[in-house]
Amino acid sequence: MTPPRWIETGRGAHGVVFLHGVSGGALGASDLLPRITPPGWRGLAWDMPGYGASAPLEPFDFDGLAAALVALLDAAGLDQAVLVGHSMGGMVALETAAAFPNRVSGLVLACSTPAFGARGGAQQQAFLARRIGPLDEGASMRELAVELIPTMVGPGGDPQVVRDAVDLMAAIPPQRYRAAMQAVIGFDRRAALGALTMPTLVVGGTHDAVSQPAVLRRMAERIPNAHYVELDAGHLAPFEEPDAFAAAVQAFLAGLDSAPVTFVL
């Protein structure tokens, strides 16, 4: 398998890998990645297969995405890494932790849930109608992004965060976006949560209507070695509150080889 492309920062024996969401890409993490990467660590951010500079994946499913992430770790020379997944990226991180636990030294799951919901249910159909329906009606990816992205940030969100997220989403090929959305609605790793043994940080956004905080708190309760932190933000919490998010991630990383972490935000 050809490994996905990535950007990186820092040098060190420990690796932290940022996995973007369905409307993102590696370039969207170019400012965030140095913030979450401590001295002595390598920080990587991938372009998910089919996004940015990465080759497409066929079939596009979470089995293949986890295998692609392992191929990236191999290509980067990392035996293990801490996976920091935002939204769909958190699902990829969960899938990889469940399928390849020996490659994952820690998890940060930001604004991400362990399952989407009942397959074929009303929630799923409404979600698809909102996220794909405009494309079926002839809208461009930019037009869809202009409609969707402002609904993902919390009250008082920085307009520049919205503009950057719109530009990032507008560059995604429509067929790749569709494939990612179809994969998301079928995801369900709830049964694996209790078997995860690696330290885990779950980060919620108080105003997140996509991955609601109550769902994230329940997920954290089901993972044996998990902590939960909530930021005053929406679904784009890592980008809306980058300083608070980076502080939480860095504290988590510092605590992997020491005493339990206390988060002060």
Side-chain angles (χ1 to χ4, degrees), residues 4 50 59 70 77 81-82 104-105 109 114 127 135 141 146 165 174 181 183 191 194-195 206 210-211 229 258:
V70 169
V82 175
V104 181
S105 55
L109 307 175
F127 185 79
L135 296 179
M141 283 298 296
V146 167
M181 292 304 308
T206 301
V210 180
S211 301
V229 170
S258 60

Side-chain angles (χ1 to χ4, degrees), residues 196-216:
L196 298 177
T197 59
M198 64 284 296
T200 300
L201 171 65
V202 178
V203 182
T206 301
H207 309 287
D208 187 352
V210 180
S211 301
Q212 297 179 356
V215 177
L216 271 66

Side-chain angles (χ1 to χ4, degrees), residues 33-256:
L33 189 62
R35 295 179 186 234
I36 66 172
T37 304
W41 286 65
R42 283 178 70 193
L44 288 69
W46 83 341
D47 273 326
M48 184 166 61
Y51 280 55
S54 292
L57 177 68
E58 298 294 346
F60 191 92
D61 56 26
F62 280 95
D63 287 342
L65 290 170
L69 181 52
V70 169
L72 182 152
L73 296 179
D74 290 341
L78 292 171
D79 292 332
Q80 287 190 322
V82 175
L83 305 182
V84 180
H86 173 238
S87 192
M88 182 183 180
M91 294 178 173
V92 175
L94 267 180
E95 182 68 28
T96 307
F100 303 96
N102 61 314
R103 306 303 300 269
V104 181
S105 55
L107 286 172
V108 180
L109 307 175
C111 304
S112 182
T113 58
F116 182 83
R119 184 181 293 273
Q123 178 189 9
Q124 193 177 88
Q125 295 307 309
F127 185 79
L128 283 178
R130 181 79 185 275
R131 298 302 182 95
I132 296 180
L135 296 179
D136 294 337
E137 297 169 1
S140 68
M141 283 298 296
R142 177 167 292 277
E143 289 168 333
L144 179 60
V146 167
E147 177 184 341
L148 286 179
I149 295 297
T151 70
M152 297 184 187
V153 300
D158 185 347
Q160 188 61 52
V161 170
V162 173
R163 288 193 291 269
D164 290 345
V166 166
D167 288 343
L168 200 61
M169 183 175 176
I172 300 169
Q175 69 272 28
R176 305 303 171 200
Y177 173 80
R178 288 176 181 272
M181 292 304 308
Q182 291 293 340
V184 164
I185 63 171
F187 183 74
D188 189 346
R189 270 297 189 176
R190 287 173 292 185
L193 297 179
L196 298 177
T197 59
M198 64 284 296
T200 300
L201 171 65
V202 178
V203 182
T206 301
H207 309 287
D208 187 352
V210 180
S211 301
Q212 297 179 356
V215 177
L216 271 66
R217 284 193 293 268
R218 289 196 296 271
M219 176 172 67
E221 290 168 357
R222 294 179 61 183
I223 299 174
N225 191 17
H227 304 273
Y228 177 77
V229 170
E230 190 167 307
L231 304 182
D232 184 17
H235 188 63
L236 302 184
F239 308 98
E240 296 174 65
E241 296 291 340
D243 291 337
F245 181 73
V249 173
Q250 291 231 20
F252 172 73
L253 297 177
L256 290 182

